[in-house]
Amino acid sequence: MSKIPKGKRVALYLRVSHAERTVENQRQALLQWAEYAGLEVTDVYTDEGISGAKGRDKRPGFDAMLKDATRRKFDVLASWSVDRLGRSLTGLLDTLQELHGAGVDLYLHQQAVDTRTPAGKAMFQMMGVFAEFERAMIQERVKAGMSRARSQGKHVGRPSVPEATRERLRELLRGGMGQLKAARECGVGTSVAQEEARKLREEVV
């Protein structure tokens, strides 16, 4: 098979959320576009019955696509719609940054966006701005929620460990039990065991 010229290799990413639906409509539309654009489809990645809200580790097709993008197995990624890639601006921005870092362009069929064009590049620069705005808004909501909880006398942060549990933890540590085992025995995190071990060392000093 003859080598495909650089810039002509396109991969398709297809996804549907519900198991009873298929990706075939997306596949056919993107294959027609690729033929019209003079691109050769080299890879097709699919996630069927998987929500776009799922993380990368829960979408095997998506994960494989991004890994192959970093390996430069294709030059352009084509997808049916922006929501096929992800459901949040921040998640989408992370994907775009990874593709951009690999030198891979993006085509979105429903939005008619092609980052090989000046208009496509400008649109995704604007999406980056909105994603940063979304991050800032989330941070502000979290801070406001914590302040409101404090004003109402609610505990903010990790749940407090009862003193009886801490005393039992100290007894186990004094008896020579390791921190990890003692934490499991008392049903607390290892950080609590580490804290109590530090206090015991300070008492000895």
Side-chain angles (χ1 to χ4, degrees):
M1 185 175 69
S2 61
K3 186 177 180 181
I4 303 169
K6 187 177 180 181
K8 293 291 186 179
R9 302 169 302 172
V10 62
L12 312 183
Y13 175 68
L14 317 172
R15 184 185 65 78
V16 288
S17 298
H18 306 292
E20 68 272 12
R21 296 167 57 191
T22 71
V23 297
E24 287 311 307
N25 288 340
Q26 296 177 27
R27 186 194 307 270
Q28 291 305 314
L30 293 174
L31 286 174
Q32 290 176 8
W33 167 80
E35 183 178 4
Y36 176 80
L39 302 174
E40 185 161 348
V41 177
T42 58
D43 299 278
V44 178
Y45 306 89
T46 62
D47 283 317
E48 298 194 55
I50 301 177
S51 169
K54 298 286 187 181
R56 176 174 173 174
D57 59 328
K58 304 295 185 183
R59 291 192 281 166
F62 185 73
D63 182 58
M65 177 273 292
L66 287 178
K67 288 178 179 176
D68 284 348
T70 61
R71 299 185 184 111
R72 289 307 309 269
K73 289 188 66 176
F74 49 86
D75 307 299
V76 182
L77 174 69
S79 189
W80 172 251
S81 177
V82 66
D83 64 352
R84 300 302 88 190
L85 297 178
R87 291 296 179 87
S88 73
L89 273 173
T90 50
L92 179 59
L93 180 61
D94 290 341
T95 299
L96 294 175
Q97 288 176 334
E98 190 155 354
L99 292 173
H100 180 72
V104 174
D105 280 300
L106 178 65
Y107 171 77
L108 298 172
H109 191 72
Q110 285 292 85
Q111 289 77 31
V113 171
D114 188 339
T115 62
R116 296 175 301 168
T117 68
K121 285 183 172 63
M123 176 184 172
F124 277 102
Q125 287 172 353
M126 286 302 299
M127 289 191 69
V129 172
F130 285 118
E132 290 300 326
F133 176 71
E134 182 184 46
R135 285 194 182 105
M137 291 296 292
I138 290 172
Q139 291 173 353
E140 287 301 317
R141 284 197 293 269
V142 170
K143 290 178 182 177
M146 292 174 67
S147 297
R148 184 166 56 253
R150 289 193 187 98
S151 68
Q152 295 171 354
K154 296 179 181 178
H155 176 74
V156 177
R158 294 180 179 178
S160 58
V161 178
E163 185 56 34
T165 302
R166 287 184 178 274
E167 182 56 38
R168 172 60 179 161
L169 185 57
R170 287 192 288 269
E171 288 177 4
L172 295 175
L173 292 171
R174 288 192 190 99
M177 184 177 289
Q179 294 177 20
L180 292 175
K181 188 174 181 181
R184 285 196 297 268
E185 183 75 19
C186 295
V188 298
T190 54
S191 62
V192 178
Q194 290 169 352
E195 180 185 352
E196 293 305 320
R198 177 181 57 78
K199 290 178 181 177
L200 289 175
R201 288 195 298 270
E202 291 174 353
E203 288 177 4
V204 171
V205 174

